[in-house]
Amino acid sequence: MSECIFCKIVARTIPAVLVYEDDMVVAFDDVNPQAPTHTLVIPRKHVASIAELQDSDVGLLGRLMLAGNTIAKQKGIADAGYRFVVNTGAHGGQSVFHLHLHVLGGRHLAWPPG
Ligand code: AMP
């Protein structure tokens, strides 16, 4: 997906503040943070949204979530609590069509979301 901005971050052809990476996922700080900690965890492979995942991606989904936990510990927000968000499709508010897990924390997060 040569035009996908997150694929370009994986390929390091555009810059990002990388905070974690392994063989399946890459994580970087959101360029427009909505909380003191706002990091995105993405699969290295292009998957447009969580709705596109297949049964064979169950390991990838687990890795995304576990990487989110690692980042929460790394960022010092694990004890206070944090939130994972996966916006999906138009009504879900998705704006970048490469699956990403938002890791948000560092302040009290309201519920319900907007
Ligand atoms: P979503 O609206 O759930 O699709 O989230 C996309 C997120 O990607 C937004 O929070 C953007 O601020 C973030 N974003 C877009 N481009 C970049 C970039 N180049 N580096 C870091 N974050 C980005």
Side-chain angles (χ1 to χ4, degrees), residues 5-6 28-32 40 87 93-96 100 102:
I5 191 166
F6 286 179
F28 51 91
D29 288 334
D30 197 293
V31 75
N32 182 24
L40 303 175
N87 295 325
Q94 186 175 6
S95 63
V96 176
H100 48 283
H102 295 259

Side-chain angles (χ1 to χ4, degrees), residues 85-106:
V85 173
V86 181
N87 295 325
T88 306
H91 279 192
Q94 186 175 6
S95 63
V96 176
F97 288 84
H98 181 129
L99 171 62
H100 48 283
L101 177 74
H102 295 259
V103 180
L104 295 151

Side-chain angles (χ1 to χ4, degrees), residues 6 9-10 12 16-22 24-30 38-44 63-64 66-72 74-75 100-103:
F6 286 179
I9 289 174
V10 171
R12 309 277 176 93
V17 180
L18 295 189
V19 299
Y20 174 88
E21 62 180 323
D22 63 30
M24 296 177 100
V25 306
V26 171
F28 51 91
D29 288 334
D30 197 293
H38 188 174
T39 298
L40 303 175
V41 190
I42 70 170
R44 286 186 183 275
R63 189 69 70 83
L64 276 176
L66 291 172
N69 282 348
T70 297
I71 290 155
Q74 196 175 298
K75 296 274 190 178
H100 48 283
L101 177 74
H102 295 259
V103 180

